[in-house]
């Protein structure tokens, strides 16, 4: 049986099973389902769901537009605030954002299905294949955007709408950032990330320059000289170190790299997967790598997190989804060393408890067998490319409009301080920086 | 067990739920299914003189939906029976013979001349039917030919035809009234003057349910054209209740038996009609939407409610609400209430605030943390907040006790009755006694 192949091996599933593995996590609503779901919205005054949305989409209005039979109009309401409304409908942790704030969640534990309704609306408009925004007349201003992730492209799109000429540089071969390289495959099937980027670029006026890395292929000063403004949406390139012995043994790798490889794999069967897997971390990345390796045929997948369940960065919903797929959780344990002889065979953990002075080892240890170990303990901003930027808690310091310490340079997304590291937050920051850039350029 | 048996102008049935004259009662097949399901009686779909009517060969019904395609209102352009008279008469006779305990009333519509009525009445009487219902109500199609609501809109015609029917038949005569008039009391009085044993109401309301925005045709659309139909279903119940009440409390028609029709969907609707004086209720849209089995909810629900309330039979509830229907001018102006919001039940949707702030009296305060509280000094007790609140009993109207000061008016609440008839602002007030 393929699943029992020891070590890290490709083709753990039957060939025919791969297609179904990464089918849509939450299939789209049918028109009737959408009408019924939309009808549950109370059209609240000063609605809590809007306040809970980092991009402040007018949710009651767009749901009312679905009710009234015009999902395309609903989509326009969404895109006015969030041009990545399609992706956010798929990946937002709605249970902690809009749906968590829905009064029907408070009333009956069953919120209006805002995420799925947003997907229904945005799909309806995007499936038309046309772009809903028309560019303003050319302003003659040129803006450089570094990083073609959600922050950078949200910024670029808004700037393009305003009539500016935008060049987006990205280190990777494809635009999209974490939407393309990071988010779990089952959340964005059928190449949605790439299709969405192509649709966003349909506004015109945005040039994508691939495989150009800031600090390697160009400097911030060069960009400033050649453009009227610069937006940095470079994300987080650094990966936190485990600090455990044996970390360099074969079989141990960064979860983000693996997910990127998975997302770009043409043939999932060719992707080597361990039989027994340990994932170290407690965030969305840990959940994503654990769930996906389990779906790809790993026999045992265990997420080990050093603190309690309530402290995990991954939402409760995400945890439950992973558990439903057979992922096991262990809490309050930290890795001491990766055990192995030429390759990882297991990880030794020590139980810890959280005290006022931080985590305290309890002396009791246990060993989890593992031929594949993923580190998902967070990423960090690497200031290398732009050493002169002022930082705040290790990320680029920005003001409320996204301005950095360097005149003419804005930043947003995961690389900027403030806000959660979510797609929707990145979109909001990119969009708001674009408004600030526009205001600044037009005043000049 | 509450006794649901009904004696309506001498027509008995095991319960007050009759199927109204409409498509569900057009044939023996349907009516037998209805009786098997438990319906107390039927009013057979309207018969006319041969040559029989024809119907359109396209859609006959239009609809107004609520959430989840729930049928709130149904409109139809179907005419009276499109089957030969003798076929209907034969089936009526057979069904009545097979189901002697069920009410069998036959709806009739023939031209407004005495000879036509004199022709059809003995034919119906021969079937053994319990009574006839004169269809003076249908507002579509037949009215263009001087029948249906064209008769019901002219009290003199109602009286004349009713009199013919009483003269030429021994059967009880129920006159079915159209709501498409300005004052329902006039046709009801005319029916009584003509000797009617009872009235039934309402027939359907003249209506266009929707317009197709692709073709710009009214719906239902027949080859790109539409015509007004008759509207019925839950949407028309309030209109029907009011008209039933008007007849029940009119001194000239008080006591005239009424068969209540209009949007009866559950036992509760039926109980409301009966409380306003109806002796039986007639149902159509609920059956057409859900099938005949809905009667089982209606009989069980009515029976259970009556048992719980200690009402032994229908006579115990019939007309009980009639004395409480009054004129605006008789409403007690010293009945002062204020909205009260139960903070434990409030889910903070803010609909009460939006409604009051935008469209009423700015009498609800919204705090930054979404606590909604009534400002008594502004609250006129209009009830809009209660009506739009999605949580039942979260907002209620509470009466200020006598002796309390209404912060809005600064006046002390009195426990005396005071109404418009004696109000100082009323130019034609009566002197206080």
């Amino acid at each position: 049986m393929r699943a029992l192949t020891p070590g890290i091996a490709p083709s753990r599933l039957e060939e025919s099973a791969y297609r179904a593995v990464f089918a849509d996590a939450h299939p789209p609503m049918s028109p009737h389902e959408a009408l019924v779901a939309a009808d549950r919205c109370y059209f609240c005054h000063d609605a809590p769901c809007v306040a809970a949305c980092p991009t402040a989409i007018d949710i009651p209005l767009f749901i009312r537009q679905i009710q009234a039979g015009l999902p395309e109009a609903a989509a326009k309401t969404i895109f006015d605030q969030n041009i990545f409304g399609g992706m956010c409908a798929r990946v937002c942790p709605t249970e902690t954002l809009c749906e968590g704030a829905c009064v029907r969640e408070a009333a009956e534990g069953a919120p209006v299905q805002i995420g799925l309704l947003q997907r229904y609306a945005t799909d309806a408009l995007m499936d038309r294949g046309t772009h809903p925004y028309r560019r303003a007349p050319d302003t003659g201003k040129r803006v450089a955007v570094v990083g073609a992730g959600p922050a950078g492209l949200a910024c670029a799109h808004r700037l393009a709408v305003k009539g500016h000429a935008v060049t987006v540089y990205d280190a990777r071969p494809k635009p999209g950032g974490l939407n393309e390289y990071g988010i779990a495959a089952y959340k964005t099937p059928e190449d949605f990330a790439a299709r969405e980027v192509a649709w966003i670029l349909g506004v015109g006026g945005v040039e994508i320059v691939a495989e150009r890395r800031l600090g390697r292929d160009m400097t911030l000063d060069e960009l400033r000289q050649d453009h009227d403004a610069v937006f940095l949406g470079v994300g987080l390139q650094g990966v936190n170190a485990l600090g455990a012995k044996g970390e360099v043994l074969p079989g141990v790798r960064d979860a983000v790299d693996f997910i990127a490889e998975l997302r770009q794999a043409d043939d999932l069967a060719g992707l080597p997967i361990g039989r027994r897997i340990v994932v170290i971390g407690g965030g969305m990345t840990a959940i994503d790598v654990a769930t996906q390796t389990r779906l790809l045929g790993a026999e045992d997948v265990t997420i080990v997190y050093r603190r309690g369940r309530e402290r995990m960065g991954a939402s409760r919903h995400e945890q439950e989804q992973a558990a439903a797929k057979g992922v096991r959780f262990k809490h309050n344990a930290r890795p001491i060393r990766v055990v192995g002889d030429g390759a990882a065979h297991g990880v030794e953990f020590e139980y810890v408890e959280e005290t006022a002075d931080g985590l305290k080892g309890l002396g009791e240890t246990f060993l989890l067998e593992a031929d594949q170990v993923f580190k998902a303990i967070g990423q960090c901003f690497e200031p290398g490319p732009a050493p002169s930027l002022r930082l705040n808690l290790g990320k680029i310091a920005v003001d409320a409009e996204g301005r950095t310490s360097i005149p003419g340079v804005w930043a947003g997304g995961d690389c900027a301080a403030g806000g959660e590291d979510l797609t929707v937050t990145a979109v909001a920051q990119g969009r708001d920086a674009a408004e600030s850039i526009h205001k600044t350029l037009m005043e000049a | 067990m509450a006794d649901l048996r009904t004696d309506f102008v001498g027509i008995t049935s095991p319960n007050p739920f009759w199927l109204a004259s409409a498509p569900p009662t057009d044939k023996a097949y349907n009516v037998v299914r209805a009786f098997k399901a438990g319906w107390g009686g039927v009013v057979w779909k309207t018969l006319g003189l041969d040559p029989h009517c024809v119907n359109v060969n396209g859609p006959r019904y239009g609809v107004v939906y609520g959430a989840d395609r729930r049928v709130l209102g149904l409109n139809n352009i179907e005419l009276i029976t499109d089957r030969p008279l003798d076929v209907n008469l034969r089936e009526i006779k057979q069904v009545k013979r097979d189901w002697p305990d069920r009410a069998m009333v036959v709806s009739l519509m023939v031209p407004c001349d005495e000879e036509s009525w004199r022709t059809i009445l003995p034919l119906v009487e021969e079937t053994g039917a319990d009574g006839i219902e004169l269809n003076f109500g249908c507002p579509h199609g037949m009215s263009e030919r001087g029948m249906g609501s064209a008769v019901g809109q002219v009290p003199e015609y109602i009286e004349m035809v009713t009199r013919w029917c009483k003269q030429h038949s021994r059967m009880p005569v129920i006159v079915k009234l159209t709501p498409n008039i300005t004052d329902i009391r006039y046709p009801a009085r005319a029916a009584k003057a003509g000797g009617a044993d009872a009235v039934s109401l309402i027939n359907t309301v003249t209506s266009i349910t929707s317009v197709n925005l692709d073709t710009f045709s009214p719906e239902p659309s027949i080859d790109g054209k539409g015509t007004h139909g008759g509207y019925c279903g839950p949407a028309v119940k309030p209109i029907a209740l009011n008209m039933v009440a008007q007849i029940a409390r009119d001194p000239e028609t008080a006591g005239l038996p009424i068969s209540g029709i209009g949007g009866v969907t559950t036992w509760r609707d039926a109980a409301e009609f009966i409380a306003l004086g109806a002796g039986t209720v007639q149902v159509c849209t609920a059956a057409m939407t859900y099938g005949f089995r809905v009667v089982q909810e209606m009989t069980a629900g009515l029976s259970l409610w009556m048992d719980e309330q200690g009402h032994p039979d229908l006579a115990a509830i019939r007309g009980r609400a009639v004395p409480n229907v009054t004129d605006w001018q008789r409403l007690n102006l010293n009945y002062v209430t204020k909205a009260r919001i139960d903070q434990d039940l409030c889910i903070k949707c803010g609909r009460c605030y939006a409604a009051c702030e935008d469209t009423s009296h700015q009498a609800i305060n919204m705090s930054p943390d979404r606590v909604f509280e009534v400002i008594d000094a502004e609250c006129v007790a209009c009830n809009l907040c209660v009506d739009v609140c999605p949580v039942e009993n979260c907002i209620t109207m509470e009466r200020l006790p006598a002796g309390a000061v209404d912060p809005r008016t600064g006046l002390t609440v009195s426990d005396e009755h005071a109404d418009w008839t004696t109000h100082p602002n009323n130019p034609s007030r009566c002197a206080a006694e």
Side-chain angles (χ1 to χ4, degrees):
Chain A
M1 195 174 149
R2 293 165 177 219
L4 304 184
T5 310
I8 305 175
S11 299
R12 287 193 176 274
L13 303 177
E14 298 299 327
E15 199 60 43
S16 58
Y18 281 92
R19 246 192 107 67
V21 163
F22 291 148
D24 227 327
H26 300 284
M29 284 178 163
S30 71
H32 181 70
E33 268 182 293
L35 284 177
V36 174
D39 203 79
R40 293 187 68 240
C41 175
Y42 286 144
F43 204 71
C44 293
H45 175 76
D46 192 14
C49 54
V50 180
C53 174
T55 55
I57 292 170
D58 191 339
I59 294 162
L61 178 61
F62 96 67
I63 292 180
R64 197 165 176 79
Q65 289 171 306
I66 292 174
Q67 270 176 34
L70 285 181
E72 297 86 354
K76 187 71 176 8
T77 299
I78 295 162
F79 291 134
D80 282 349
Q81 290 295 109
N82 180 340
I83 198 64
F84 278 95
M87 183 60 85
C88 288
R90 290 161 170 78
V91 304
C92 261
T94 51
E95 64 280 4
T96 62
L97 299 174
C98 52
E99 291 179 16
C102 176
V103 300
R104 296 199 82 147
E105 168 65 22
E108 59 210 84
V112 175
Q113 293 172 288
I114 299 168
L116 279 169
L117 286 167
Q118 179 166 321
R119 172 155 178 199
Y120 175 73
T122 52
D123 279 357
L125 184 56
M126 292 174 76
D127 286 350
R128 288 187 163 188
T130 54
H131 191 85
Y133 296 93
R134 187 185 293 246
R135 289 188 70 202
D138 192 357
T139 61
K141 304 287 185 186
R142 302 179 64 238
V143 183
V145 169
V146 185
L153 289 180
C155 182
H157 182 269
R158 184 60 63 101
L159 289 168
V161 168
K162 304 272 188 198
H164 308 297
V166 187
T167 307
V168 182
Y169 301 93
D170 197 278
R172 303 232 197 206
K174 289 190 202 171
L178 287 179
N179 287 1
E180 176 61 40
Y181 291 95
I183 286 161
Y186 49 82
K187 292 179 187 168
T188 167
E190 292 164 22
D191 214 15
F192 179 77
R195 286 191 288 125
E196 182 179 49
V197 169
W199 177 83
I200 290 172
L201 295 177
V203 69
V206 180
E207 186 194 358
I208 301 281
V209 180
E211 299 184 87
R212 291 282 295 279
R213 182 184 289 278
L214 186 65
R216 182 187 71 193
D217 306 312
M218 57 201 177
T219 68
L220 185 55
D221 283 342
E222 285 166 8
L223 289 176
R224 291 178 66 205
Q225 276 164 22
D226 295 346
H227 300 83
D228 298 295
V230 178
F231 175 81
L232 299 176
V234 296
L236 306 174
Q237 297 83 29
V239 175
N240 293 334
L242 206 53
K245 285 178 215 157
E247 193 173 348
V248 294
L249 278 170
V252 183
R253 65 182 300 192
D254 291 328
V256 283
D257 290 346
F258 173 81
I259 291 172
E261 188 182 332
L262 187 159
R263 282 293 305 276
Q264 300 307 311
D266 292 328
D267 174 23
L268 287 172
L271 199 66
I273 301 290
R275 179 176 170 183
R276 296 193 173 89
I277 290 175
V278 165
V279 178
I280 300 167
M284 293 292 222
T285 304
I287 295 280
D288 282 354
V289 76
T291 306
Q292 292 184 101
T293 51
R294 175 82 187 119
L295 289 172
L296 288 170
E299 186 182 355
D300 292 318
V301 180
T302 307
I303 290 176
V304 185
Y305 179 54
R306 60 193 169 138
R307 302 180 200 271
R309 176 175 181 166
E310 65 288 348
R311 294 286 304 269
M312 287 180 78
S315 73
R316 187 81 172 212
H317 175 76
E318 295 280 340
Q319 295 176 45
E320 283 165 4
Q321 291 288 306
K325 301 282 191 302
V327 173
R328 212 155 62 94
F329 289 86
K330 281 196 82 72
H331 296 102
N332 301 304
R334 70 181 170 200
I336 301 171
R337 64 190 175 106
V338 179
V339 185
D341 181 11
H345 291 312
V347 185
E348 189 181 2
F349 292 90
E350 179 189 21
Y351 286 109
V352 292
E353 71 175 356
E354 205 168 355
T355 69
D357 305 323
L359 293 174
K360 190 177 133 218
L362 296 176
E364 185 178 340
T365 64
F366 63 92
L367 183 74
L368 283 182
E369 276 188 60
D371 30 47
Q372 200 168 28
V373 179
F374 291 109
K375 298 184 286 182
I377 52 173
Q379 295 151 265
C380 54
F381 175 65
E382 285 186 339
S388 53
L389 282 168
R390 193 159 60 77
L391 302 185
N392 175 12
L393 297 173
K395 292 182 170 190
I396 301 171
V398 290
D399 66 9
E401 293 184 14
R403 286 180 290 226
T404 69
S405 58
I406 300 175
V409 179
W410 282 255
D414 290 356
C415 69
E420 287 188 77
D421 288 351
L422 295 172
T423 303
V424 66
T425 310
V427 172
Q429 292 169 348
R431 175 200 71 191
D432 293 347
E435 292 289 347
S436 176
I437 291 167
H438 173 68
K439 191 179 65 170
T440 305
L441 295 186
M442 300 318 281
E443 280 169 359
Chain B
M1 262 304 258
D3 184 357
L4 297 186
R5 283 178 303 170
T6 307
D7 181 336
F8 185 77
V9 298
I11 305 169
T12 57
S13 57
N15 63 56
F17 297 99
W18 294 3
L19 282 171
S21 167
T25 60
D26 191 31
K27 305 194 296 292
Y29 183 86
N30 304 66
V31 172
V32 168
R33 281 180 69 84
F35 286 163
K36 284 180 180 167
W39 290 90
V42 298
V43 181
W44 199 278
K45 184 170 166 81
T46 308
L47 310 185
L49 292 174
D50 288 331
H52 58 78
C53 273
V54 298
N55 269 302
V56 291
N57 297 297
R60 301 173 188 187
Y61 306 118
V63 69
V64 171
Y65 286 124
D68 202 2
R69 285 174 77 85
R70 177 181 286 257
V71 173
L72 298 183
L74 191 68
N75 136 312
N76 83 88
I77 56 168
E78 180 171 299
L79 301 186
I80 63 172
T81 185
D82 55 10
R83 305 191 312 154
L85 180 59
D86 70 305
V87 172
N88 278 303
L89 293 170
R90 214 162 48 232
E91 291 185 4
I92 290 166
K93 187 172 186 175
Q94 184 65 47
V95 175
K96 180 62 198 176
R97 186 175 296 160
D98 295 344
W99 297 83
D101 69 323
R102 308 303 168 95
M104 172 66 78
V105 176
V106 178
S107 174
L108 298 176
M109 183 193 288
V110 295
C112 224
D113 58 74
E114 190 169 2
E115 193 47 41
S116 296
W117 290 93
R118 212 205 310 249
T119 303
I120 199 164
L121 287 167
L123 301 176
V124 176
E125 200 158 294
E126 199 277 326
T127 63
D130 298 306
I132 55 171
E133 185 182 79
L134 311 186
N135 182 344
F136 296 157
C138 282
H140 50 275
M142 303 308 287
S143 57
E144 296 171 14
R145 307 174 198 175
M147 291 180 267
S149 66
V151 179
Q153 287 164 340
V154 183
E156 292 78 4
Y157 292 168
I158 295 173
E159 182 177 341
M160 176 179 74
V161 178
T162 306
R163 185 164 288 126
W164 292 338
C165 291
K166 288 304 291 180
Q167 271 170 7
H168 301 303
S169 161
R170 294 190 311 274
M171 293 177 288
V173 175
I174 304 167
V175 175
K176 187 166 182 178
L177 302 178
T178 174
N180 303 304
I181 40 83
T182 47
D183 188 338
I184 196 69
R185 292 174 301 181
Y186 289 87
R189 288 169 188 164
K192 190 181 180 191
D197 297 279
V199 290
S200 57
L201 70 156
I202 57 174
N203 203 306
T204 55
V205 181
T206 308
S207 55
I208 289 174
T209 48
S210 58
V211 174
N212 184 315
L213 292 179
D214 294 322
T215 63
F216 291 104
S217 167
E219 299 282 5
S221 176
I222 305 293
D223 197 19
K225 306 280 186 200
T227 187
H228 74 264
Y231 195 48
C232 55
V236 308
K237 181 186 136 194
I239 298 167
L241 284 179
N242 176 54
M243 290 185 165
V244 166
Q246 278 187 292
I247 293 170
R249 62 185 281 257
D250 178 13
E252 292 190 38
T253 52
L256 181 66
I258 299 170
S259 185
I261 313 169
V264 174
T265 308
T266 69
W267 72 269
R268 180 179 292 273
D269 302 319
E272 290 173 12
F273 273 98
I274 293 168
L276 284 174
T280 64
V281 293
Q282 297 185 29
V283 178
C284 176
T285 305
M288 289 183 71
T289 307
Y290 304 107
F292 287 145
R293 266 168 25 85
V294 290
V295 73
Q296 291 157 21
E297 181 285 317
M298 296 178 190
T299 51
L302 186 61
S303 178
L304 179 67
W305 171 75
M306 288 170 64
D307 284 347
E308 287 184 347
Q309 299 293 317
H311 303 306
D313 53 27
L314 294 171
I317 56 170
R318 188 176 310 124
R320 287 280 292 272
V322 176
N324 295 328
V325 183
T326 187
D327 295 335
W328 191 95
Q329 62 178 345
R330 300 285 178 193
L331 297 174
N332 184 5
L333 296 174
N334 279 341
Y335 178 74
V336 182
T337 67
K338 298 289 175 187
R340 292 284 171 262
I341 302 173
D342 183 333
Q343 299 297 337
D344 292 334
L345 290 177
C346 176
I347 60 171
K348 304 187 188 303
C349 67
R351 276 166 64 155
C352 58
Y353 176 82
C356 192
E357 193 71 8
D358 285 355
T359 70
S360 296
H361 297 84
Q362 298 76 47
I364 294 179
N365 181 62
M366 174 181 174
S367 74
D369 58 342
R370 301 184 75 81
V371 174
F372 299 90
E373 284 172 314
V374 176
I375 305 164
D376 283 1
E378 303 295 339
C379 178
V380 303
C382 72
N383 213 47
L384 183 62
C385 56
V386 175
D387 294 336
V388 302
C389 177
V391 181
E392 202 175 354
N393 294 325
C394 175
I395 311 181
T396 49
M397 281 291 162
E398 305 296 337
R399 184 176 193 174
L400 294 187
V405 175
D406 179 351
R408 183 174 71 87
T409 59
L411 299 175
T412 302
V413 177
S414 161
D415 53 4
E416 303 273 306
H417 176 97
D419 61 35
W420 176 246
T421 60
T422 55
H423 196 278
N425 288 17
N426 181 356
S428 52
R429 67 183 175 277
C430 339
E433 288 169 12

